Amino acid sequence: MFSLVDAVVHPYVPYRDPEAIYAVIPKGGDRARHSPTTYEHFLALRGDARFRDVVAVTALAHATVRAGARTRDVKAVTVSPNLFRVLGVAPALGRGFASLDGLNTDETQVVIGERLWRQVRGARRTPRGMTLMVNDRAYTVVGVMPDGVDFPFGAELWMPIPAGAVATGDGLPGVAIWYRRERGVSAGQVQTELAAIAARVSAEHRLLDKPIHYRTWQPFSSPFRPAADPVHFVLGGAVAVVLLIACANLSNLLLARGVARRRELAIRAALGASRGALARLVLAECALIVAAGAVVGGVVTLWANDIVRLTVPRALLELGLIEPRTSWRAFAFALLIALGTMVVFGLLPALRAAATDPNDALKDGAGITTREGRRRYSVLVIAEGALSMVLLLGAALLVRTARGIAAFDFGYDPRALIVASNGVYGKRWLGGEGAARFYDEMLTRVSSLPEARSAALFHDARPVGHAVTFEDAGRGTDSRFLPAYRIVTPGYLRTLGIRITEGRDFEAGDAVTGAVVINHAAARLLWPFGGAVGKMIKFAPEDSARRWYRVVGVARDAFEARPEDAGAEPGPRVYVVTPDDDAPKRSLVARAAADPSALAMVMRREIATLSPVASAAMHIEPWTESLDRAAELARFLSALFGSFAIFGLAISAIGVYGVVSYTVSRRLRELAVRVALGAAARDVWRLVMHDAAVMLLAGTGIGALAALWAAWSLRFLAWGLGDAHLALPLVTAEVVLLAVGFAACVAPARRAAGVDPAETMRAC
C-alpha cells in the first residue's frame, strides 16, 4: 500500500535528479515590433558561459515511419544534440547524438524509444547498422532510449535539428527550452542570471518599455501533475484507515494476551523479575510479531506490485503518474510504521505487565473478566467497525460511480465520433493565408473521406463581459449571464446526432448570414415562455456594436464533453454559425462510417499532407476519451478501495471474533454458573450476542457519520451522487458490516452455549 501511494506522490522518472530540470519560458516583448522567437532566446541563453552546456532545445516534428510493409505515425521531436545530457539519461542501446560544434550533428541519424524499437527491430539485438525510413528518407538508428523515456510530449523518435534551422530556428514550430540546474547553484542564482540575460536581450531588441523576462517551472514536480491528486487523496486515506484498523486489532490482541498472562507475569515477579525485565519481555515478543509481519509483508509487496501494475489505468501509466515499484521511501516508511506500532501498541501491555502486583494477580479468579476490561476491548472493536464502514461506503460509492460513468447518456451516440484537437497557434506555422485556409481545407478533406460519414469544426468563445443580449417579446431587450458559447460549422449538430425539436438545423447559407441554435436549457433561461425560434441574440452587452444573430432552432439537451456531474442536467448551450470566425485554434469532429480507429488513422495522414507541424501537434482521439479515462480511473480506484475494504473488514471480523472469543473464555465460570442455575442455551446465546451487538451497532453508528463525511470528501470522484444517492450504499455497508460481525460471533456463542457446568467448575 505504501509503495502504491509513494508511486503517486513520487512518480517514477527515469532521469537523473529530475527536480533539477526546468523549462524556461520567455515572457514579455512587443508583438508590434520584432520580439525574439523562443529559439532566439535559446541562442541567447546558450551564448552565456553559465548556460552553454546545460541548456537544450526541442521542437515539434512529424514522423511517418516505414518498417517493412507497415507504415505508422509516431510522435517525434527535433532536438539539440545535448538534450539527453541535460536530461541526465543515456540510451539503453547504442549512443546519443554526436555534436559537431555544439548545435550541428549528422542529420541522417535518429534515436528511437524502446516501444518503437520493439516494433521495428525484427530479429536484431542491437541498432548497429539499422536503417529506418522516416518521412520517406533513410535514417540510421544510432541509439534506443530506455523504456519510460518519452521526453518531451510523449516522444518516440528524436531527430537532430536541421542544419538550415540551427542558426535562426526558421521552420521550427513548438520550440521549448530546457535547462538543468547544476549542483551547488541555487534557484535564486539562476533567476538572477536569467534576469541579466533577459535585460540584455530586451536592450538588443529595444524592448525596454516592455521588457522580456524568463519564467521557469519544473515539468517533473508534483504540482504539475493534477491528475494524480485525487488518486493520492483516495489511496492515502484508504491506507491510513486500513493501518488504523490493523493497529486497533493488534492492540486488542496484545492487551488480551497480557491479561491472559497475568498469573505467569505475577509468578515471574514473585521469583525476583524486575519491572524492566517484564516490560522488555513483552516488548520483545511484540517485536518478534512485528518483524515476522514485516518480512511477510515485504515478500507479498514484491508480488503485489506486479499485480497492481497490470491494473493501473493506461492513462496514468502514459502520463507517468503511477508506476508501482518498491522504493527505499516506501520501505523506510513501512519500517518506521512497524516500529511505531510496536512501541505504541506494545508499550501499553508492557507497562501493564510491569505494574502487575503479584499478590493481586495470584488472588484473581482465572475465569473472571471485569466490565472495565470488556469495555476497553469493546472500544477498539467499535473503532475497527467505524473505520470499516468508511472503507465499505467509499468502495460502494466508487463502484456506483464507475457503473454510472459506463452507462452515461450523452443524449446521442458518441461511439463513432473522433475529435481532432489542434494545439497549433500562429498563422506562420500553417503557411499561406494561415489558420482559416488550413481549417477549411482540413474540413473539406476529412468530409470527403469514405471512412467519414460527416464532419464539422467547432471551438468555444466567450461573450463580451460574459453577457448575452436577447430580444424579449413585449419588453424590448434583456441580458443574461452566459459563460461561453460554441462557434460551429453547419454540420456540427448532424455530426454529433443532436436532434432538433423546434425550428430547423443549420444550413449551408448560414455560414454567410450567421445563425444560432440553442438547447432547451438555454431556451428556458432566455425565453421561459416559449417562442425562441425567430428571436434575435448577440453575444455582448446591449450597447455593443457586435452583430445580431437569429435563432433558427432549438435542440435537445445533450452533453458534448466530459460532464462535471453525470447526474446533473446539461447546462445552457448556444451554437453559432458565423462568417466572422478566424480563430487560430479550432477542433474537428467526425463521425465514422464504420471503424472509428480506421478513420482516426486516415485523418492523421490527411492532416499531415496539409501541415506536418499541425499533425504533430494534433491530438486525435475518440470523442469519449476523457469519459473513458475517468471510467477507467473510477474502476481502478473502486477495485483498490474494494480490496482495502475487504482487507479491513476481514481484520475487523478477526478482531470481533478474538474479543468475543476471549471474553467468553474469561467468563466460562460465570456462564457455567448461569447454566447450573437453569439458564437455557438460547439465554447464553442471547447474552453473548447482546455484547457483540452493542459493539457492532455502536461501530456502525459512529462509522455511518464518519462515512458520510468521507463520502462528502469523495464528491469530486463520485459524479452525480447527491445526498439521496447515499442511502442505498450506506445501508448496504451497514448490513455487510453487521452480517460479517455477527458471523464472527457464531463460533464463540456456540462454544458458550455448549458449556458443561461440572467440567468447567472442575477445570477452574
Side-chain angles (χ1 to χ4, degrees), residues 417 443 446-447 449 451-456 491-492 494-496 588-593 599:
L417 294 176
L443 177 61
V446 174
S447 299
L449 292 174
E451 292 84 359
R453 183 174 299 172
S454 61
Y492 178 78
R494 287 191 296 273
T495 299
L496 263 63
L588 182 143
V589 59
R591 180 171 290 277
L599 173 61

Side-chain angles (χ1 to χ4, degrees), residues 344-682:
V344 174
F345 294 97
L347 190 60
L348 180 58
L351 293 177
R352 286 177 59 85
T356 299
D357 187 340
N359 295 323
D360 293 340
L362 292 174
K363 286 187 293 185
D364 284 345
I368 299 174
T369 183
T370 64
R371 286 185 177 272
E372 181 183 355
R374 293 201 300 268
R375 189 180 303 117
R376 185 185 304 115
Y377 307 136
S378 299
V379 168
L380 293 175
V381 171
I382 290 171
E384 292 182 29
L387 294 172
S388 297
M389 272 290 299
V390 175
L391 289 177
L392 287 171
L393 183 60
L397 288 179
L398 290 173
V399 169
R400 184 161 181 170
T401 297
R403 293 179 59 185
I405 295 175
F408 178 71
D409 181 17
F410 278 83
Y412 52 89
D413 183 9
R415 290 173 295 180
L417 294 176
I418 298 294
V419 61
S421 302
N422 197 343
V424 175
Y425 289 89
K427 296 181 180 181
R428 68 183 181 86
W429 291 3
L430 300 175
E433 299 176 3
R437 189 180 70 176
F438 168 78
Y439 289 121
D440 290 342
E441 182 65 22
M442 180 174 65
L443 177 61
T444 300
R445 292 199 181 193
V446 174
S447 299
S448 62
L449 292 174
E451 292 84 359
R453 183 174 299 172
S454 61
L457 295 170
F458 69 94
H459 69 93
D460 290 332
R462 295 181 178 179
V464 177
H466 295 291
V468 56
T469 303
F470 57 96
E471 180 185 10
D472 191 2
R475 293 192 300 171
T477 60
D478 200 354
S479 296
R480 289 287 186 276
F481 170 79
L482 187 71
Y485 61 97
R486 178 156 288 188
I487 298 177
V488 302
T489 53
Y492 178 78
L493 297 176
R494 287 191 296 273
T495 299
L496 263 63
I498 300 177
R499 183 167 52 88
I500 301 295
T501 59
E502 298 179 36
R504 63 172 177 84
D505 196 353
F506 293 118
E507 298 176 351
D510 293 332
V512 178
T513 61
V516 168
V517 170
I518 62 177
N519 69 348
H520 283 285
R524 290 191 297 269
L525 174 68
L526 304 178
W527 293 281
F529 301 105
V533 176
K535 297 295 193 302
M536 303 299 291
I537 185 174
K538 69 175 177 179
F539 304 97
E542 184 176 358
D543 56 356
S544 173
R546 292 290 187 94
R547 65 179 296 167
W548 288 85
Y549 295 90
R550 184 174 299 279
V551 178
V552 299
V554 178
R556 177 189 176 187
D557 290 339
F559 288 105
E560 298 160 74
R562 168 181 170 171
E564 294 297 326
D565 190 341
E569 295 294 328
R573 297 293 294 174
V574 178
Y575 311 98
V576 183
V577 169
T578 175
D580 304 325
D581 187 18
D582 59 351
K585 181 184 178 183
R586 286 179 258 178
S587 300
L588 182 143
V589 59
R591 180 171 290 277
D595 183 10
S597 59
L599 173 61
M601 183 176 62
V602 177
M603 284 173 59
R604 170 78 67 184
R605 292 179 181 175
E606 286 295 327
I607 295 171
T609 60
L610 285 174
S611 172
V613 172
S615 176
M618 188 168 290
H619 303 285
I620 300 179
E621 59 188 13
W623 183 263
T624 59
E625 181 69 17
S626 61
L627 195 70
D628 293 340
R629 290 183 178 181
E632 191 176 15
L633 176 61
R635 288 193 296 270
F636 172 67
L637 292 179
S638 63
L640 277 179
F641 224 93
S643 301
F644 292 161
I646 294 173
F647 187 52
L649 189 62
I651 297 177
S652 298
I654 294 173
V656 172
Y657 171 81
V659 169
V660 175
S661 181
Y662 172 75
T663 303
V664 167
S665 67
R666 299 296 295 173
R667 299 177 65 186
L668 281 179
R669 177 182 292 181
E670 172 196 343
L671 297 175
V673 172
R674 289 178 180 271
V675 173
L677 294 177
R682 64 175 178 274

Side-chain angles (χ1 to χ4, degrees), residues 20-235:
I21 301 175
Y22 293 81
V24 180
I25 305 174
K27 294 291 184 180
D30 189 351
R31 293 184 179 181
R33 289 179 283 176
H34 173 66
S35 293
T37 63
T38 304
Y39 189 82
E40 289 174 317
H41 284 293
F42 161 71
L43 295 177
L45 291 172
R46 192 178 178 279
D48 188 277
R50 165 73 74 180
F51 293 92
R52 182 181 305 276
D53 297 324
V54 293
V55 66
V57 67
T58 62
L60 293 173
H62 170 74
T64 300
V65 176
R66 188 171 75 246
R70 187 177 178 184
T71 302
R72 59 177 62 84
D73 293 313
V74 301
K75 295 181 179 179
V77 289
T78 57
V79 302
S80 55
N82 66 333
L83 174 67
F84 301 128
R85 188 167 65 251
V86 169
L87 293 178
V89 63
L93 298 173
R95 59 173 178 82
F97 295 115
S99 175
L100 301 179
D101 58 2
L103 282 177
N104 285 280
T105 187
D106 189 344
E107 288 188 52
T108 64
Q109 298 178 349
V110 294
V111 175
I112 63 177
E114 173 69 24
R115 183 170 60 178
L116 182 59
W117 165 248
R118 290 195 297 265
Q119 295 173 353
V120 302
R121 69 179 180 179
R124 291 178 176 270
R125 302 184 64 181
T126 66
R128 180 177 301 176
M130 180 179 180
T131 300
L132 202 63
M133 298 299 296
V134 181
N135 297 335
D136 295 325
R137 179 182 175 184
Y139 284 83
T140 301
V141 178
V142 296
V144 178
M145 300 308 296
D147 193 18
V149 175
D150 57 358
F151 189 89
F153 317 126
E156 301 175 81
L157 185 145
W158 296 263
M159 299 185 293
I161 295 176
V166 166
T168 62
D170 290 341
L172 293 180
V175 175
I177 304 172
W178 310 100
Y179 160 75
R180 171 175 285 278
R181 179 162 56 88
E182 297 174 295
R183 292 184 179 180
V185 178
S186 67
Q189 290 176 292
V190 174
Q191 290 296 334
T192 300
E193 294 173 358
L194 288 176
I197 297 175
R200 185 170 67 247
V201 174
S202 298
E204 291 175 356
H205 290 79
R206 300 180 180 180
L207 298 170
L208 298 180
D209 53 336
K210 296 183 178 180
I212 292 169
H213 64 278
Y214 295 118
R215 183 170 65 87
T216 61
W217 61 272
Q218 294 175 289
F220 301 111
S221 62
S222 56
F224 292 91
R225 296 173 176 270
D229 290 342
V231 183
H232 178 203
F233 177 84
V234 173
L235 292 183

